Amino acid sequence: ICITLWLPNELLAEIIHNVSDTDLASLCRVSKLFHALVLPSLLRNVVLQIRDSSIEIADAFCLGIIENPARAESVLSLTLINGSLPLVPAKDLLIQSLKLMQNLETLSIDDIHAFGVVSCLPSLTFPKLSSCFFIEAHPDTWIPHMTAALGYDESWNLHVIEFLSRHPTVTQLRLWSTSHDSNIPAGTLLPEMRYFQGSFWSLALFSKRSLVALRTAWPVWILSVGRNFDELTSPNITSLYIEHLSADQITTVIMHLSVHMPRLEKIKLCCCDVPKTRIEGIVFFIATIFLPRFERLAYLALNHDPRSLGLDPYDCRMALGPQAKVSQTLRGICVGDMAELKVGETWEGCSREAFDAAAGFF
Protein backbone atom coordinates (compact mmCIF):
# COMPACT_ATOMS: atom_id res chain seq x y z
CA ILE A 1 0.00 0.00 0.00
CA CYS A 2 1.40 3.40 -0.96
CA ILE A 3 2.18 5.39 2.18
CA THR A 4 0.84 8.55 0.55
CA LEU A 5 -2.65 7.02 0.42
CA TRP A 6 -3.10 6.77 4.19
CA LEU A 7 -0.85 9.54 5.55
CA PRO A 8 -1.80 13.17 4.89
CA ASN A 9 0.80 15.35 3.19
CA GLU A 10 1.06 17.55 6.29
CA LEU A 11 2.14 14.58 8.42
CA LEU A 12 4.57 13.37 5.75
CA ALA A 13 6.08 16.87 5.62
CA GLU A 14 6.54 16.83 9.42
CA ILE A 15 8.29 13.43 9.25
CA ILE A 16 10.49 14.60 6.37
CA HIS A 17 11.46 17.67 8.40
CA ASN A 18 13.39 15.37 10.78
CA VAL A 19 15.16 13.27 8.12
CA SER A 20 18.93 13.62 7.55
CA ASP A 21 20.17 15.58 4.53
CA THR A 22 21.59 12.39 2.96
CA ASP A 23 18.25 10.62 3.14
CA LEU A 24 16.44 13.73 1.93
CA ALA A 25 18.45 13.66 -1.29
CA SER A 26 17.35 10.04 -1.87
CA LEU A 27 13.71 10.71 -0.99
CA CYS A 28 13.65 13.62 -3.39
CA ARG A 29 14.09 11.17 -6.29
CA VAL A 30 11.32 8.74 -5.27
CA SER A 31 8.43 10.50 -6.98
CA LYS A 32 7.07 13.89 -7.97
CA LEU A 33 5.05 14.02 -4.76
CA PHE A 34 8.06 13.27 -2.56
CA HIS A 35 10.11 15.76 -4.57
CA ALA A 36 7.57 18.47 -3.79
CA LEU A 37 7.39 17.47 -0.11
CA VAL A 38 11.15 17.05 0.39
CA LEU A 39 12.46 20.09 -1.49
CA PRO A 40 11.60 22.68 1.22
CA SER A 41 13.51 20.62 3.84
CA LEU A 42 16.38 20.03 1.42
CA LEU A 43 16.69 23.78 0.92
CA ARG A 44 16.78 24.65 4.65
CA ASN A 45 20.59 24.49 4.85
CA VAL A 46 22.26 25.12 1.51
CA VAL A 47 26.03 24.68 1.10
CA LEU A 48 27.52 25.66 -2.26
CA GLN A 49 31.10 24.47 -2.73
CA ILE A 50 32.57 26.16 -5.76
CA ARG A 51 34.83 23.69 -7.54
CA ASP A 52 35.42 22.57 -11.13
CA SER A 53 32.77 19.88 -10.78
CA SER A 54 30.20 22.04 -9.01
CA ILE A 55 30.26 25.47 -10.63
CA GLU A 56 27.38 24.52 -12.95
CA ILE A 57 25.42 23.12 -9.99
CA ALA A 58 25.82 26.44 -8.15
CA ASP A 59 24.59 28.36 -11.18
CA ALA A 60 21.68 25.93 -11.60
CA PHE A 61 20.71 26.40 -7.93
CA CYS A 62 20.66 30.20 -8.28
CA LEU A 63 18.68 29.98 -11.52
CA GLY A 64 16.22 27.55 -9.91
CA ILE A 65 15.59 30.05 -7.08
CA ILE A 66 15.04 32.88 -9.56
CA GLU A 67 12.66 30.88 -11.74
CA ASN A 68 10.79 29.50 -8.70
CA PRO A 69 10.75 32.30 -6.07
CA ALA A 70 8.69 30.13 -3.71
CA ARG A 71 11.79 27.97 -3.19
CA ALA A 72 13.64 30.95 -1.72
CA GLU A 73 11.24 30.98 1.23
CA SER A 74 12.62 27.60 2.36
CA VAL A 75 16.28 28.69 2.50
CA LEU A 76 17.16 29.42 6.13
CA SER A 77 20.95 28.98 5.95
CA LEU A 78 23.30 29.63 3.04
CA THR A 79 27.03 28.82 3.05
CA LEU A 80 29.32 29.73 0.15
CA ILE A 81 32.65 27.88 0.11
CA ASN A 82 35.28 28.89 -2.43
CA GLY A 83 37.46 26.07 -3.74
CA SER A 84 40.32 28.50 -4.46
CA LEU A 85 39.32 28.59 -8.11
CA PRO A 86 38.93 31.60 -10.41
CA LEU A 87 35.49 30.20 -11.32
CA VAL A 88 32.58 31.54 -9.28
CA PRO A 89 28.82 31.48 -9.81
CA ALA A 90 27.55 34.16 -12.17
CA LYS A 91 27.50 37.22 -9.92
CA ASP A 92 24.17 38.53 -11.21
CA LEU A 93 22.50 35.16 -10.66
CA LEU A 94 23.91 34.90 -7.13
CA ILE A 95 22.83 38.41 -6.11
CA GLN A 96 19.39 38.03 -7.68
CA SER A 97 18.77 34.76 -5.87
CA LEU A 98 20.01 36.19 -2.55
CA LYS A 99 17.52 39.05 -2.79
CA LEU A 100 14.71 36.51 -2.85
CA MET A 101 15.80 34.70 0.36
CA GLN A 102 13.80 36.82 2.80
CA ASN A 103 13.65 34.05 5.43
CA LEU A 104 17.44 33.66 5.58
CA GLU A 105 18.71 33.34 9.16
CA THR A 106 22.36 32.39 8.59
CA LEU A 107 24.72 33.72 5.91
CA SER A 108 28.29 32.40 5.70
CA ILE A 109 30.81 33.39 3.02
CA ASP A 110 34.26 31.84 3.42
CA ASP A 111 35.99 34.13 0.89
CA ILE A 112 34.09 37.35 0.71
CA HIS A 113 36.33 38.75 -2.05
CA ALA A 114 36.10 35.75 -4.40
CA PHE A 115 32.33 35.68 -4.71
CA GLY A 116 31.99 39.26 -5.89
CA VAL A 117 29.18 40.07 -3.46
CA VAL A 118 31.04 42.65 -1.36
CA SER A 119 30.02 45.69 -3.37
CA CYS A 120 26.43 44.39 -3.51
CA LEU A 121 26.02 43.84 0.24
CA PRO A 122 24.43 47.28 0.78
CA SER A 123 21.62 46.25 -1.59
CA LEU A 124 20.81 43.06 0.35
CA THR A 125 18.40 42.91 3.29
CA PHE A 126 17.40 39.83 5.29
CA PRO A 127 14.76 40.69 7.92
CA LYS A 128 15.36 37.49 9.95
CA LEU A 129 19.17 37.29 9.78
CA SER A 130 20.64 36.17 13.12
CA SER A 131 24.05 34.67 12.24
CA CYS A 132 26.57 36.24 9.90
CA PHE A 133 30.02 34.87 9.08
CA PHE A 134 32.24 36.86 6.72
CA ILE A 135 35.64 35.26 6.23
CA GLU A 136 38.52 36.51 4.12
CA ALA A 137 40.62 34.25 1.94
CA HIS A 138 43.38 34.52 4.54
CA PRO A 139 41.59 34.68 7.93
CA ASP A 140 44.94 34.54 9.75
CA THR A 141 45.97 37.78 8.07
CA TRP A 142 44.71 40.23 10.62
CA ILE A 143 47.45 42.86 10.37
CA PRO A 144 46.34 45.79 8.13
CA HIS A 145 49.49 46.20 6.04
CA MET A 146 49.56 42.46 5.28
CA THR A 147 45.95 42.52 4.12
CA ALA A 148 46.68 45.51 1.91
CA ALA A 149 49.64 43.66 0.42
CA LEU A 150 47.24 40.99 -0.85
CA GLY A 151 45.53 43.62 -2.97
CA TYR A 152 42.27 43.85 -1.04
CA ASP A 153 40.43 47.13 -1.30
CA GLU A 154 39.82 48.58 2.16
CA SER A 155 36.38 49.77 1.00
CA TRP A 156 35.03 46.23 1.53
CA ASN A 157 34.93 46.98 5.25
CA LEU A 158 32.55 49.87 4.67
CA HIS A 159 30.23 47.70 2.57
CA VAL A 160 30.10 45.10 5.34
CA ILE A 161 29.50 47.75 8.00
CA GLU A 162 26.66 49.28 5.99
CA PHE A 163 25.16 45.82 5.56
CA LEU A 164 25.36 45.06 9.29
CA SER A 165 23.96 48.46 10.25
CA ARG A 166 20.68 47.41 8.61
CA HIS A 167 20.56 44.04 10.39
CA PRO A 168 20.11 44.69 14.12
CA THR A 169 18.70 41.15 14.44
CA VAL A 170 22.19 39.60 14.14
CA THR A 171 23.21 37.84 17.36
CA GLN A 172 26.26 35.90 16.07
CA LEU A 173 29.00 37.53 14.03
CA ARG A 174 32.35 36.43 12.65
CA LEU A 175 34.26 39.26 11.01
CA TRP A 176 38.05 39.42 10.68
CA SER A 177 38.53 42.83 9.13
CA THR A 178 41.20 45.48 9.12
CA SER A 179 41.01 49.01 10.52
CA HIS A 180 38.63 51.35 8.74
CA ASP A 181 37.09 54.79 8.78
CA SER A 182 33.36 54.90 9.42
CA ASN A 183 30.84 57.56 10.30
CA ILE A 184 29.05 55.10 12.57
CA PRO A 185 29.68 55.87 16.27
CA ALA A 186 31.71 53.24 18.12
CA GLY A 187 29.79 50.67 20.12
CA THR A 188 26.42 51.23 18.43
CA LEU A 189 26.00 48.43 15.88
CA LEU A 190 24.20 45.12 16.56
CA PRO A 191 22.65 45.83 19.99
CA GLU A 192 21.51 42.18 20.30
CA MET A 193 24.89 40.59 19.43
CA ARG A 194 25.71 37.77 21.85
CA TYR A 195 28.62 35.98 20.12
CA PHE A 196 31.47 37.74 18.36
CA GLN A 197 34.55 36.30 16.70
CA GLY A 198 36.82 38.69 14.89
CA SER A 199 39.44 41.37 14.89
CA PHE A 200 40.00 43.92 17.60
CA TRP A 201 39.23 46.77 15.17
CA SER A 202 35.83 45.37 14.21
CA LEU A 203 34.80 44.85 17.82
CA ALA A 204 35.03 48.57 18.56
CA LEU A 205 32.03 49.27 16.32
CA PHE A 206 29.63 46.86 17.96
CA SER A 207 27.59 47.11 21.11
CA LYS A 208 28.77 44.84 23.93
CA ARG A 209 25.54 45.25 25.89
CA SER A 210 24.36 41.70 25.14
CA LEU A 211 27.75 40.11 24.43
CA VAL A 212 28.34 36.82 26.29
CA ALA A 213 31.09 35.15 24.20
CA LEU A 214 34.08 36.84 22.60
CA ARG A 215 36.94 35.49 20.49
CA THR A 216 39.47 38.02 19.27
CA ALA A 217 43.14 38.58 18.51
CA TRP A 218 45.24 40.73 20.79
CA PRO A 219 47.01 43.74 19.18
CA VAL A 220 50.49 42.50 20.13
CA TRP A 221 52.26 45.71 19.16
CA ILE A 222 50.36 47.69 21.82
CA LEU A 223 52.46 47.46 24.96
CA SER A 224 49.93 48.60 27.53
CA VAL A 225 47.60 45.69 28.30
CA GLY A 226 45.39 47.75 30.58
CA ARG A 227 44.74 50.32 27.87
CA ASN A 228 42.97 47.69 25.77
CA PHE A 229 40.57 46.41 28.40
CA ASP A 230 38.16 49.25 27.76
CA GLU A 231 37.35 47.42 24.52
CA LEU A 232 37.28 43.91 25.99
CA THR A 233 35.54 44.57 29.28
CA SER A 234 31.85 43.76 29.55
CA PRO A 235 30.06 42.51 32.68
CA ASN A 236 27.98 40.07 30.61
CA ILE A 237 30.83 38.22 28.89
CA THR A 238 31.21 34.69 30.25
CA SER A 239 33.48 33.19 27.57
CA LEU A 240 36.71 34.87 26.44
CA TYR A 241 39.14 33.49 23.85
CA ILE A 242 42.19 35.63 23.00
CA GLU A 243 44.66 34.73 20.25
CA HIS A 244 48.05 36.17 19.27
CA LEU A 245 49.05 36.97 22.83
CA SER A 246 52.70 37.44 23.65
CA ALA A 247 53.82 34.85 26.21
CA ASP A 248 55.13 37.49 28.58
CA GLN A 249 51.65 39.10 28.65
CA ILE A 250 49.78 36.05 29.97
CA THR A 251 50.05 36.83 33.67
CA THR A 252 49.30 40.52 33.09
CA VAL A 253 46.20 39.67 31.07
CA ILE A 254 44.97 37.20 33.71
CA MET A 255 45.53 39.83 36.39
CA HIS A 256 43.42 42.40 34.53
CA LEU A 257 40.71 39.84 33.80
CA SER A 258 40.50 38.93 37.48
CA VAL A 259 39.92 42.62 38.30
CA HIS A 260 37.66 43.71 35.42
CA MET A 261 35.82 40.48 34.56
CA PRO A 262 35.74 38.28 37.69
CA ARG A 263 32.54 36.54 36.51
CA LEU A 264 34.17 34.88 33.50
CA GLU A 265 33.31 31.18 33.19
CA LYS A 266 35.68 30.26 30.33
CA ILE A 267 39.13 31.63 29.49
CA LYS A 268 41.32 30.51 26.62
CA LEU A 269 44.64 32.26 25.92
CA CYS A 270 46.85 31.37 22.95
CA CYS A 271 50.39 32.67 22.54
CA CYS A 272 52.12 33.67 19.34
CA ASP A 273 55.63 32.98 20.67
CA VAL A 274 57.42 30.42 22.83
CA PRO A 275 57.40 31.15 26.57
CA LYS A 276 60.77 32.22 27.91
CA THR A 277 60.09 30.45 31.20
CA ARG A 278 58.72 27.01 31.98
CA ILE A 279 54.97 26.77 31.48
CA GLU A 280 54.77 24.97 34.82
CA GLY A 281 55.96 28.10 36.62
CA ILE A 282 53.53 30.33 34.73
CA VAL A 283 50.56 28.12 35.62
CA PHE A 284 51.65 27.89 39.27
CA PHE A 285 51.89 31.68 39.52
CA ILE A 286 48.50 32.23 37.86
CA ALA A 287 46.78 29.51 39.88
CA THR A 288 47.97 30.60 43.30
CA ILE A 289 47.59 34.37 42.81
CA PHE A 290 44.76 35.07 40.36
CA LEU A 291 42.48 32.04 39.84
CA PRO A 292 40.88 32.30 43.31
CA ARG A 293 39.64 35.77 42.35
CA PHE A 294 37.31 34.44 39.66
CA GLU A 295 33.85 33.75 41.03
CA ARG A 296 32.61 31.30 38.37
CA LEU A 297 35.60 30.16 36.33
CA ALA A 298 34.92 26.63 35.04
CA TYR A 299 37.37 26.15 32.13
CA LEU A 300 40.89 27.49 31.62
CA ALA A 301 43.12 26.81 28.61
CA LEU A 302 46.67 28.09 28.07
CA ASN A 303 48.96 27.63 25.04
CA HIS A 304 46.46 25.42 23.29
CA ASP A 305 48.74 24.32 20.42
CA PRO A 306 52.06 23.09 21.88
CA ARG A 307 53.24 21.73 18.54
CA SER A 308 53.65 25.24 17.21
CA LEU A 309 55.15 26.51 20.45
CA GLY A 310 57.62 23.73 21.15
CA LEU A 311 56.26 23.05 24.64
CA ASP A 312 57.59 20.01 26.42
CA PRO A 313 54.75 17.50 27.15
CA TYR A 314 56.38 16.81 30.53
CA ASP A 315 56.15 20.51 31.44
CA CYS A 316 52.50 20.55 30.37
CA ARG A 317 51.74 17.47 32.46
CA MET A 318 53.49 18.92 35.52
CA ALA A 319 51.61 22.19 35.08
CA LEU A 320 48.35 20.32 35.70
CA GLY A 321 49.37 19.56 39.27
CA PRO A 322 47.14 20.22 42.31
CA GLN A 323 48.11 23.89 42.48
CA ALA A 324 46.49 24.48 39.06
CA LYS A 325 43.09 23.41 40.41
CA VAL A 326 42.75 25.54 43.52
CA SER A 327 39.55 27.20 42.28
CA GLN A 328 36.50 25.41 43.69
CA THR A 329 34.48 26.26 40.57
CA LEU A 330 37.01 24.88 38.07
CA ARG A 331 35.70 21.95 35.99
CA GLY A 332 38.44 21.64 33.37
CA ILE A 333 41.98 22.85 32.64
CA CYS A 334 44.13 22.46 29.54
CA VAL A 335 47.84 23.32 29.24
CA GLY A 336 49.42 22.68 25.89
CA ASP A 337 48.30 19.27 24.71
CA MET A 338 47.43 18.01 28.20
CA ALA A 339 43.94 18.39 29.63
CA GLU A 340 41.91 17.24 32.62
CA LEU A 341 38.20 17.36 33.42
CA LYS A 342 36.61 17.09 36.84
CA VAL A 343 34.26 14.12 37.11
CA GLY A 344 32.43 14.31 40.41
CA GLU A 345 35.24 15.14 42.83
CA THR A 346 37.97 13.42 40.80
CA TRP A 347 40.18 14.91 38.10
CA GLU A 348 40.66 12.70 35.03
CA GLY A 349 42.92 13.13 32.02
CA CYS A 350 41.28 13.67 28.64
CA SER A 351 42.09 14.64 25.08
CA ARG A 352 42.20 18.23 23.96
CA GLU A 353 39.17 17.50 21.77
CA ALA A 354 37.20 16.27 24.78
CA PHE A 355 38.16 19.40 26.70
CA ASP A 356 37.04 21.64 23.83
CA ALA A 357 33.73 19.79 23.61
CA ALA A 358 33.11 20.19 27.34
CA ALA A 359 34.12 23.84 27.42
CA GLY A 360 32.25 24.77 24.23
CA PHE A 361 34.31 27.83 23.29
CA PHE A 362 32.64 29.89 20.54
Side-chain angles (χ1 to χ4, degrees):
I1 301 176
C2 179
I3 191 174
T4 58
L5 296 179
W6 53 275
L7 279 182
N9 290 347
E10 293 78 11
L11 184 55
L12 282 173
E14 185 63 28
I15 294 173
I16 288 170
H17 188 75
N18 295 284
V19 173
S20 68
D21 290 343
T22 303
D23 292 332
L24 283 175
S26 299
L27 277 175
C28 200
R29 295 189 290 270
V30 170
S31 67
K32 290 183 179 180
L33 175 60
F34 270 101
H35 182 275
L37 291 174
V38 168
L39 193 59
S41 293
L42 200 57
L43 291 175
R44 280 179 306 184
N45 302 300
V46 177
V47 179
L48 295 181
Q49 288 190 316
I50 312 305
R51 303 184 186 279
D52 281 325
S53 59
S54 62
I55 186 68
E56 293 181 358
I57 296 176
D59 284 342
F61 166 77
C62 295
L63 191 59
I65 291 290
I66 295 168
E67 293 178 345
N68 302 275
R71 294 182 180 180
E73 298 177 4
S74 300
V75 182
L76 304 182
S77 172
L78 177 65
T79 300
L80 301 177
I81 302 175
N82 179 34
S84 300
L85 296 172
L87 297 171
V88 296
K91 178 182 175 182
D92 292 341
L93 288 180
L94 183 59
I95 298 302
Q96 195 174 345
S97 62
L98 278 170
K99 288 181 177 179
L100 296 172
M101 300 178 192
Q102 291 300 292
N103 289 330
L104 197 68
E105 297 175 1
T106 300
L107 176 62
S108 179
I109 307 177
D110 85 326
D111 186 350
I112 197 168
H113 301 283
F115 288 96
V117 300
V118 177
S119 60
C120 299
L121 282 176
S123 67
L124 299 173
T125 302
F126 306 108
K128 300 180 180 180
L129 193 67
S130 60
S131 299
C132 200
F133 304 97
F134 291 140
I135 307 170
E136 295 190 61
H138 301 273
D140 293 331
T141 305
W142 52 280
I143 300 177
H145 73 269
M146 291 179 66
T147 306
L150 293 172
Y152 294 159
D153 187 344
E154 289 295 314
S155 63
W156 82 271
N157 283 311
L158 299 179
H159 293 313
V160 170
I161 293 168
E162 184 177 347
F163 173 80
L164 292 172
S165 69
R166 291 182 290 103
H167 292 83
T169 54
V170 170
T171 59
Q172 296 188 60
L173 176 65
R174 180 176 180 181
L175 177 63
W176 291 94
S177 69
T178 58
S179 56
H180 41 67
D181 294 321
S182 172
N183 295 326
I184 297 175
T188 58
L189 290 182
L190 306 188
E192 303 302 321
M193 183 175 68
R194 293 176 57 81
Y195 305 92
F196 176 80
Q197 178 181 347
S199 65
F200 193 79
W201 303 279
S202 300
L203 179 61
L205 284 174
F206 304 110
S207 169
K208 296 186 289 297
R209 184 183 66 191
S210 302
L211 194 63
V212 296
L214 169 63
R215 177 174 177 176
T216 189
W218 195 262
V220 293
W221 59 88
I222 299 178
L223 298 179
S224 174
V225 175
R227 190 180 305 167
N228 296 295
F229 268 83
D230 287 341
E231 293 297 336
L232 293 179
T233 301
S234 171
N236 298 320
I237 295 179
T238 59
S239 176
L240 181 62
Y241 182 169
I242 304 179
E243 300 176 85
H244 298 294
L245 265 176
S246 175
D248 57 9
Q249 289 183 328
I250 289 182
T251 53
T252 307
V253 168
I254 287 286
M255 178 185 70
H256 278 273
L257 290 177
S258 68
V259 173
H260 296 282
M261 303 172 71
R263 296 185 179 181
L264 279 171
E265 298 175 7
K266 308 173 188 177
I267 300 175
K268 183 174 180 178
L269 305 177
C270 293
C271 293
C272 57
D273 55 2
V274 178
K276 298 177 182 178
T277 58
R278 288 169 60 91
I279 190 67
E280 180 185 356
I282 294 177
V283 174
F284 177 81
F285 182 70
I286 291 174
T288 55
I289 303 298
F290 302 118
L291 287 193
R293 301 179 184 178
F294 291 97
E295 301 171 7
R296 306 174 182 175
L297 188 63
Y299 297 95
L300 173 67
L302 299 173
N303 293 329
H304 219 49
D305 188 1
R307 289 166 294 187
S308 65
L309 296 171
L311 295 180
D312 189 319
Y314 175 79
D315 288 343
C316 297
R317 191 178 300 110
M318 294 300 294
L320 293 176
Q323 69 273 12
K325 311 177 186 96
V326 294
S327 171
Q328 295 299 311
T329 61
L330 208 60
R331 305 299 304 175
I333 184 168
C334 183
V335 179
D337 214 21
M338 304 294 171
E340 290 188 18
L341 292 173
K342 194 173 185 180
V343 181
E345 296 301 320
T346 305
W347 285 87
E348 298 180 1
C350 66
S351 66
R352 190 174 58 186
E353 291 73 21
F355 174 86
D356 280 342
F361 285 100
F362 172 65

